Structure formats: structure tokens, C-alpha cells
Amino acid sequence: MSSVIIPVDPFDLVIFGATGDLTRRKLLPGLYQRDRAGQLPPDARVIGAARTEMASRAWRVEAEKALQEFVPKEDLDPEAVKRFLGRLDYIRVDAAAETGWSSLARHLEGREGLVRAFYLAVGPAFFGSIAEKLKAHGLVTEKARLIVEKPLGHDLASAHALNDQLRAAFPESGIYRIDHYLGKETVQNLMALRFANALFEPLWNAQYVDHVQITVAETVGLEGRGGYYDQSGAMRDMVQNHLLQLLCLTAMEPPAVFDADGVRDEKLKVLRSLAPITAGNAHEVTARGQYGGRRGEKKSYLEDLGLQASNTETFVAIKAEIRNWRWSGTPFYLRTGKRLRARSSEIAVIFRHPPHMIFPHLAQGLRRNALVMRLQPDEGVTLRVTVKEPGPGGMRLREAALDMTFADALNGVRMPDAYERLVLDVIRGDQTLFMRGDEVEAAWAWIDPILAAWSGWTEPPAVYDPDGRGPEDALRLIHQDGRRWREIEP
């Protein structure tokens, strides 16, 4: 099997925050890989913008260091590196002042007919002001696109205000709200599995699906993000965007046409169908925790943060109900946390037992069939089924996994990083994998009452051991329904 490379039209990509971590780790390596694959046309340019005083030559030196650090050695082709670095320019621009905007305008002059994308790899406090300055300096052309990344607001009110600010400078069709989880191969394969095959879609409903588990587990702690994270917590940092997007793609109805608005209309319907969680039921259907420490080995959240007390959650578990005909009675269990036993992200669709078991004496202890889509660390799809155990001596049943790990199944085809796909989708003008403004607001409308309920709790988040499965409350949340969490495995 070989991948198909479809070149894009010439473009100018301006990266605000050109000296930041996201640019070094993801954007420059991702663009290099697309250039190495032959997907970038000769006339494509990448322009770095930041407050730091720096010449273009110096930024190219820093970009080469980033490639050396974050691109696999076998992918570093000297000719490809030279070609890519030749695309790079740098303009000093102060997002909070007037410095550099006229220089940026001159650098883009004469290329108004090309796609022009502005990636805001900066703090969310600058999103609105940069959009306004781009508009004020005449940089928003007919083919201009604005790329912003979470957090998109702190609550519903701030998200609504941000959307208004962005839409005052760019049309909604020119705003690309990026969620890198949606660029993962497995997430897109979820839609292919459902809508391009006759096998799963007839079973994809409450009649056949017992429940769904969506897990995003991390082994790391704060990693220098303490200031941001303590104001955010796992609910705002992970659930409001990543986990709810995965839930929407799992639960949505088939769109009439596979295009941006068709897909996003169906995701919006799911968000609006979520049963409210308020102070009246939050104790029964949510759990929150905060990682502790281990003497001499790992620091607790408070030690990482350098504070004596904090009610910020580093773990969240939620039992979500979707009130529509397809999913009524089938719960969606969501969980995410830091400092857990393994780094693992997956969507597990757990099917019901057969309506009548003709092997009752053989089936004890067997688990339900499950379709598991792994997002990380190894992207792939596993279908767990019940089969006869090989060998003579009668009928014996056991579980077997039909496993497709993409790295193995695609026979050496390189799996592109999510940012590679998403940035090129922006250039193409394809918004299918990007969030629309009303989606963001609908997600906050569901999240805000949960956060309000938690703010009224007198008990702090439950402390859980590092390298474990999370707090006991999370186990209680699913055990009370007669179900069990899947093991968190690497």
C-alpha cells in the first residue's frame, strides 16, 4: 500500500508565535514532512512572526535545530531540509502593539490572490487583538484564513465573546478552530468504519451497543504548564474540546453529504442532545481527582505547582447520556487524567451480549464484544470477538482480537502527524475536521453547569496515586451500573 500525495496551491502561511514550543515541536516539523513528500508547491512560503528581534537567517538556524530535534533522523534529507529552510522568512511583529504590522503587509504585498493563512500559535489572550490588527492593516483577503487552537474561551460567555471578536475580522468560513485529535488517522477511520461499510452501522445504536468508553490517559504531570493548568483543569483542558469531539464523532448521525457543514451539523445535534448535568445529579454521574505524590519518586500536583492547596482537578470521569432515538439508554463514559499508569487514548464501543446464549456453561467470564479504536500511542483498530479455542476435546470458548495496527498494516507507509494533515486542510479550504463557532459554544453550554456544581462542593478533588487508574470515585461511577472500566494499557 502506498499513500497518495496531492499537492496544494501556492500559499503564504504566517505563524504568530514563531519562536514558541508549538511551532518548534509540531508546525515546522510537520510542514517539513509535507515539503519532503512533495506536497508543497515551489511558491509556498512560511513566515514567522514574533516579538523577538531576529533576522530571517537566524530563524532558519533555529528552525533547522527544531528539525534536528523533532524529526526522525531517517527523515532528514539534506536536500529537503535546504529546500524547506529556503521557504522561511521572519518578521518582527508585536501582537499587542503596532510594531511590525506594516512590514508584514509589505512582505505579503502582491500575493493577495494566493491562499493566506495566519496560524495563531500564541496565548488565547492575543487571539482577538491579532485578528483585529490583521483586519485593520488590510491583510484579510478573500482567501485569508485564521487558525486558532484551544483554549477557545474559559466558559460560555468568554467563548461567545471570542467568536464575536474573530467574526468581526474574518467570516466564519475563514476561521479554522483546530483540535489536533481530529487530525489523527484513527479518528477519521472511525467515520470510514461507520459510513463506508455495511458491517457496523446497523449495530451502531442502543439496541446493540451496551455502552461506550472514551479514555485519554497521560503519564505526565504539569510539564511547566502550571500557571495555565491551575486556571483550567482537566475539564476545560481536555473534556470540553478533545473528549466531546470524540464523543460527537462516535455518536453522530450519518450526514447527508460528507462535507464540512454536513459533519459539523450532526456533531452539533449530539452536543445539544446531551442530558444536562447540574448540582442535582453531578455527584452521581461525575468524579474528579488530583494526583498525589510518592515519597522520593514523584511529586504531587501541589508540589509540582508549588502551592499549599488547590481545588483544580487533574482527573475527570463523566457518565454522559445522549437523549435521542439512536442512543437512549446507552451511556457514554468519559475519563481523562494526568499521572496515570500509561499513556493511552482510545474509543471503545462495547456491544451487548447475544440475546440468547446457547453455550451458557461455556460463556461465564467472557466479556462482551468490543470495537476499540486506539488514538495513541499506536494508532489502530481492534475488534474483540468470541471464538472456539483451537484443539480437540470439545467446545471451549475464548476471546480473540482482530487487530489492525496501522503502522504494521500499512506496510511501511509513514503515519503523518495530525498537524501535517490539518494545516494542509486549511490551505485546501476544507473545514471538515475543524470546529465551528456554534459547536464550541454548545460544548461550553453543557460544561458550565458541571463546573458550577463542582464549585459548590465542600470536598476537594479526591487524591489518587500516580501510575494508577485514578480516584476510587471514578470506579464507583461505572461499577454502580454493573460495568467496569477498561484497563489503561500502553
Side-chain angles (χ1 to χ4, degrees):
M1 182 182 293
S2 60
S3 58
V4 178
I5 304 299
I6 303 175
V8 297
D9 293 332
F11 63 88
D12 286 332
L13 172 63
V14 181
I15 302 175
F16 289 90
T19 58
D21 192 60
L22 176 61
T23 302
R24 294 182 65 255
R25 287 178 174 271
K26 294 294 185 179
L27 301 184
L28 290 174
L31 287 165
Y32 163 76
Q33 293 283 18
R34 293 298 87 210
D35 196 10
R36 185 175 75 96
Q39 204 158 10
L40 304 192
D43 201 22
R45 300 191 306 178
V46 180
I47 302 160
R51 288 183 299 175
T52 305
E53 187 70 61
M54 184 185 299
S56 292
R57 180 181 299 176
W59 191 51
R60 293 185 194 111
V61 170
E62 293 303 313
E64 186 170 14
K65 291 178 182 176
L67 299 184
Q68 295 288 343
E69 184 174 357
F70 298 111
V71 173
K73 301 301 180 187
E74 61 271 19
D75 292 346
L76 287 172
D77 176 77
E79 286 301 316
V81 170
K82 180 180 178 181
R83 181 177 67 244
F84 177 68
L85 295 178
R87 300 182 184 278
L88 306 187
D89 283 307
Y90 181 88
I91 306 290
R92 180 174 181 257
V93 179
D94 190 338
E98 291 300 317
T99 305
W101 292 97
S102 57
S103 297
L104 179 60
R106 285 194 298 271
H107 201 72
L108 296 173
E109 193 174 357
R111 293 168 65 88
E112 289 80 4
L114 302 184
V115 170
R116 181 179 291 181
F118 301 98
Y119 199 120
L120 306 193
V122 297
F126 295 104
F127 289 173
S129 63
I130 291 177
E132 289 173 350
K133 291 184 185 303
L134 290 170
K135 179 75 169 179
H137 287 83
L139 298 175
V140 181
T141 61
E142 184 179 348
K143 293 185 177 181
R145 283 136 200 193
L146 186 74
I147 312 169
V148 292
E149 193 157 1
K150 64 118 176 166
L152 300 173
H154 191 74
D155 53 20
L156 176 57
S158 59
H160 183 74
L162 176 61
N163 278 335
D164 285 347
Q165 200 172 14
L166 298 181
R167 285 193 288 250
F170 287 77
E172 177 64 37
S173 60
I175 302 171
Y176 289 71
R177 299 169 184 85
I178 197 168
D179 184 334
H180 68 271
Y181 268 63
L182 301 190
K184 292 182 179 294
E185 198 72 31
T186 309
V187 173
Q188 293 168 78
N189 253 304
L190 167 60
M191 291 187 282
L193 282 170
R194 287 189 59 188
F195 305 137
N197 296 283
L199 178 61
F200 293 112
E201 186 58 23
L203 309 178
W204 211 264
N205 54 61
Q207 181 179 353
Y208 297 102
V209 176
D210 180 78
H211 69 282
V212 177
Q213 295 184 28
I214 301 177
T215 298
V216 178
E218 301 178 278
T219 57
V220 298
L222 294 181
E223 290 195 308
R225 300 169 68 226
Y228 157 74
Y229 195 89
D230 200 51
Q231 298 300 315
S232 171
M235 180 68 89
R236 291 184 173 95
D237 188 50
M238 295 297 294
V239 178
Q240 186 273 337
N241 39 75
H242 299 325
L243 270 74
L244 284 187
Q245 285 294 308
L246 298 180
L247 180 149
C248 286
L249 290 174
T250 305
M252 74 182 199
E253 295 295 323
V257 179
F258 185 74
D259 62 12
D261 280 333
V263 170
R264 295 187 297 180
D265 286 346
E266 297 303 335
K267 289 196 293 175
L268 182 62
K269 291 177 186 177
V270 174
L271 290 170
R272 290 177 173 171
S273 299
L274 288 169
I277 298 176
T278 63
N281 64 343
H283 270 292
E284 288 71 41
V285 296
T286 72
R288 60 178 185 163
Q290 187 181 99
Y291 66 81
R294 185 179 295 135
R295 186 183 299 274
E297 295 183 24
K298 292 190 174 180
K299 293 181 179 180
S300 68
Y301 175 75
L302 297 179
E303 290 170 329
D304 278 343
L305 200 61
L307 295 178
Q308 294 296 315
S310 173
N311 275 342
T312 298
E313 75 286 350
T314 63
F315 180 99
V316 174
I318 299 175
K319 176 185 176 182
E321 300 274 359
I322 300 174
R323 293 179 172 175
N324 63 22
W325 278 34
R326 181 184 289 265
W327 294 115
S328 181
T330 292
F332 284 66
Y333 297 97
L334 317 178
R335 63 174 168 170
T336 182
K338 290 187 172 295
R339 285 278 171 83
L340 298 177
R341 62 172 53 171
R343 175 175 175 263
S344 176
S345 297
E346 67 173 34
I347 303 166
V349 179
I350 315 297
F351 293 94
R352 298 188 185 279
H353 285 305
H356 174 66
M357 175 56 74
I358 65 172
F359 311 107
H361 59 294
L362 301 175
Q364 292 185 2
L366 289 175
R367 294 179 292 177
R368 297 178 174 92
N369 300 146
L371 179 67
V372 182
M373 289 147 282
R374 301 187 305 278
L375 281 67
Q376 60 184 22
D378 297 314
E379 293 190 59
V381 179
T382 299
L383 178 62
R384 191 180 69 207
V385 297
T386 300
V387 299
K388 176 190 176 294
E389 186 175 286
M395 177 73 75
R396 297 184 301 277
L397 301 182
R398 58 171 292 180
E399 293 173 346
L402 308 178
D403 192 349
M404 186 178 78
T405 300
F406 293 154
D408 299 332
L410 298 183
N411 192 25
V413 174
R414 178 183 164 274
M415 294 288 290
D417 181 78
Y419 282 94
E420 297 178 38
R421 175 179 293 106
L422 293 174
V423 172
L424 269 292
D425 278 355
V426 173
I427 304 303
R428 294 189 189 93
D430 184 354
Q431 289 191 313
T432 305
L433 299 177
F434 296 82
M435 293 177 287
R436 205 166 55 195
D438 51 4
E439 275 187 81
V440 175
E441 293 181 22
W444 278 119
W446 189 69
I447 292 292
D448 275 2
I450 304 176
L451 293 170
W454 286 356
S455 68
W457 290 3
T458 56
E459 67 272 22
V463 176
Y464 61 92
D465 292 333
D467 303 327
R469 297 178 296 176
E472 291 297 317
D473 265 1
L475 302 179
R476 181 265 311 162
L477 182 146
I478 194 169
H479 287 177
Q480 67 188 7
D481 295 336
R483 302 180 176 102
R484 302 185 68 85
W485 290 112
R486 287 174 47 82
E487 289 297 326
I488 297 175
E489 298 175 341

